[in-house]
């Protein structure tokens, strides 16, 4: 994309509430109680802990790191916001409960009327998606930002999966490319145990986006086509432990950031790398996961972190933030 085309792209965009002005008294940490999914116990049918975001916030409050008055309240992404990346056809498909049941891997949802699925499942995911977009702008304004939810890295513009219904990472980056002058290059560092095939499909031929993905290749989604978009691919063996993991995080994140000079770094933090996680297949201790987060946090002046992944053993609920 030429500089002239970049300027033209930034001139034409819809009105959004997601780029509202945030008081300086607020930390650049985005959250809303609506992130948490609870409905008749159906959420317990999947190993993903769909209430973990509230647990993270409770812990941070108990430790007096934050309080209700100094974090940013996430806003729900509207259909217009979502159409920046998603096709109309895909969003219409989410009006079918069968489709949502397939994406979230919770089969009983297909028997529920869609208005309930929208309210109890998709609205929380849209609110988290809005939170990631807001965190992107906050990172530019403040130098860093965290969305306690989001990180739906299995969803692309026209397909969802793996509990990911909206492509919040792609949306956050495309919003910045469209709306913030001087933001034209992005790096995604994805440390979730699963391959981030959604944003990889979305940025397959986009030279403005550099993707580093470090994951277990033997688990979902095993998307060979999407792997073509990864500029720095780090595939881990079953049961990878602390020392080897941190060594690779350090080596490859340094390498990724030396290869390009991005305007924004999106770091997708997954707690599913923890020892004992039912899906990740890795063996990282909570203490060393914190070390991995610290390594990434030290490397960027404009960082937006999304927390995604399956909750592991006790203590992991705060490690990804």
């Amino acid at each position: 994309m030429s500089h002239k085309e970049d300027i033209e792209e930034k001139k034409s965009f819809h009105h959004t509430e997601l780029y509202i002005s945030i008081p300086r008294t607020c930390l650049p940490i985005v959250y809303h109680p609506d992130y948490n999914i609870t409905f008749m116990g159906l959420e317990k049918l999947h190993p993903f802990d769909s209430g973990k975001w509230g647990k993270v916030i409770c812990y941070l409050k108990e430790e007096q790191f934050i309080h209700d008055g100094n974090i940013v309240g996430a806003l729900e992404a509207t259909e217009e916001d979502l159409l920046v990346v998603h096709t109309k056809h895909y969003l219409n498909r989410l009006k079918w409960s069968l489709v949502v049941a397939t994406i979230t891997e919770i089969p009983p949802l297909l028997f529920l009327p869609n208005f309930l699925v929208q309210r109890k499942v998709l609205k929380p995911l849209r609110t988290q998606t809005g939170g990631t977009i807001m965190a992107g702008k906050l990172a530019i304004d403040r130098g860093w930002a965290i969305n306690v939810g989001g990180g739906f890295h299995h969803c692309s513009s026209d397909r969802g999966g793996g509990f990911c219904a909206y492509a919040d990472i792609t949306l956050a980056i495309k919003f910045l490319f469209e709306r913030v002058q001087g933001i034209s290059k992005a790096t995604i560092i994805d440390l979730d145990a699963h391959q981030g095939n959604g944003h990889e499909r979305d940025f397959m031929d986009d030279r403005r986006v550099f993707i580093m993905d470090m994951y277990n290749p033997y688990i979902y989604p095993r998307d060979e086509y999407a792997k073509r978009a990864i500029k720095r691919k780090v595939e881990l063996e079953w049961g990878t432990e602390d020392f080897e993991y941190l060594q690779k995080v350090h080596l490859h994140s340094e390498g990724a950031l030396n290869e390009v000079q991005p305007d924004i770094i999106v770091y997708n933090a997954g707690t599913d790398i923890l020892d004992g996680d039912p899906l990740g297949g890795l063996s990282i201790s909570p203490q060393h996961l914190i070390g991995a987060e610290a390594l990434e946090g030290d490397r960027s002046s404009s960082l937006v972190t999304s927390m995604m992944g399956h909750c592991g053993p006790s203590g992991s609920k705060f490690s990804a933030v």
Side-chain angles (χ1 to χ4, degrees):
M1 179 179 289
S2 70
H3 179 64
K4 182 178 179 182
E5 289 171 327
D6 187 45
I7 291 174
E8 288 301 315
E9 184 182 354
K10 288 177 168 62
K11 284 181 180 176
S12 56
F13 47 77
H14 72 282
H15 172 74
T16 182
E17 299 294 330
L18 300 178
Y19 272 19
I20 57 172
S21 178
I22 303 298
R24 299 295 298 187
T25 53
C26 288
L27 294 169
I29 298 174
V30 186
Y31 171 74
H32 195 284
D34 284 352
Y35 281 14
N36 302 288
I37 300 173
T38 55
F39 183 56
M40 296 171 57
L42 290 178
E43 70 280 357
K44 296 177 182 176
L45 298 177
H46 193 284
F48 189 96
D49 182 351
S50 59
K52 68 176 182 179
W53 306 285
K55 297 173 186 175
V56 170
I57 292 297
C58 283
Y59 175 83
L60 293 175
K61 287 179 180 176
E62 287 170 3
E63 295 298 311
Q64 299 184 342
F65 292 125
I66 63 169
H67 55 79
D68 286 334
N70 70 350
I71 59 174
V72 178
L75 299 174
E76 180 183 353
T78 65
E79 182 170 318
E80 273 195 306
D81 295 327
L82 298 171
L83 285 169
V84 169
V85 165
H86 288 294
T87 63
K88 186 77 171 176
H89 174 70
Y90 174 72
L91 295 182
N92 283 337
R93 289 186 67 231
L94 295 179
K95 296 174 183 176
W96 293 88
S97 297
L98 173 61
V99 172
V100 181
T102 303
I103 290 171
T104 59
E105 301 169 352
I106 304 176
L109 288 180
L110 70 90
F111 299 111
L112 297 179
N114 190 256
F115 78 90
L116 280 178
V117 174
Q118 292 287 332
R119 185 188 310 162
K120 296 295 186 176
V121 179
L122 292 181
K123 181 177 180 179
L125 301 183
R126 286 193 296 268
T127 306
Q128 292 188 46
T129 297
T132 300
I133 297 168
M134 293 170 72
K137 178 62 163 57
L138 271 169
I140 299 301
D141 294 341
R142 305 287 187 87
W144 66 277
I146 293 171
N147 181 22
V148 176
F152 302 130
H153 65 163
H154 297 310
C155 187
S156 61
S157 63
D158 61 354
R159 57 189 285 182
F163 213 88
C164 302
Y166 301 106
D168 67 321
I169 293 173
T170 306
L171 279 159
I173 292 172
K174 292 216 169 175
F175 263 69
L176 290 169
F177 284 168
E178 284 185 0
R179 295 166 182 269
V180 181
Q181 204 65 38
I183 305 300
S184 59
K185 289 186 294 182
T187 290
I188 299 171
I189 295 179
D190 194 336
L191 297 190
D192 189 279
H194 299 78
Q195 176 197 352
N197 61 319
H199 57 71
E200 290 161 9
R201 283 176 171 268
D202 285 335
F203 293 119
M204 179 67 66
D205 300 311
D206 194 330
R207 290 179 295 175
R208 299 172 297 175
V209 180
F210 183 99
I211 298 174
M212 169 186 155
D213 199 350
M214 186 162 147
Y215 59 93
N216 181 345
Y218 306 108
I219 60 175
Y220 178 89
R222 296 190 289 271
D223 190 333
E224 294 298 324
Y225 173 77
K227 288 180 184 180
R228 294 166 46 193
I230 306 172
K231 303 297 194 300
R232 185 170 281 257
K233 179 172 62 177
V234 188
E235 296 190 335
L236 302 170
E237 291 299 318
W238 279 103
T240 295
E241 296 182 349
D242 293 342
F243 179 77
E244 180 185 354
Y245 183 84
L246 283 181
Q247 194 175 47
K248 288 185 174 181
V249 170
H250 181 81
L251 173 67
H252 290 287
S253 59
E254 284 280 3
L257 296 178
N258 286 334
E259 284 193 50
V260 295
Q261 296 296 314
D263 303 307
I264 184 77
I265 297 170
V266 179
Y267 167 41
N268 192 39
T271 56
D272 53 1
I273 66 172
L274 284 162
D275 186 23
D277 183 90
L279 300 177
L282 305 177
S283 300
I284 312 305
S285 68
Q287 294 79 9
H288 284 79
L289 182 138
I290 293 170
E293 308 297 328
L295 279 172
E296 295 311 312
D298 287 345
R299 282 170 168 65
S300 174
S301 58
S302 291
L303 173 72
V304 49
T305 302
S306 294
M307 181 179 138
M308 181 64 176
H310 307 286
C311 268
S314 178
S316 65
K317 60 182 181 291
F318 62 89
S319 298
V321 176

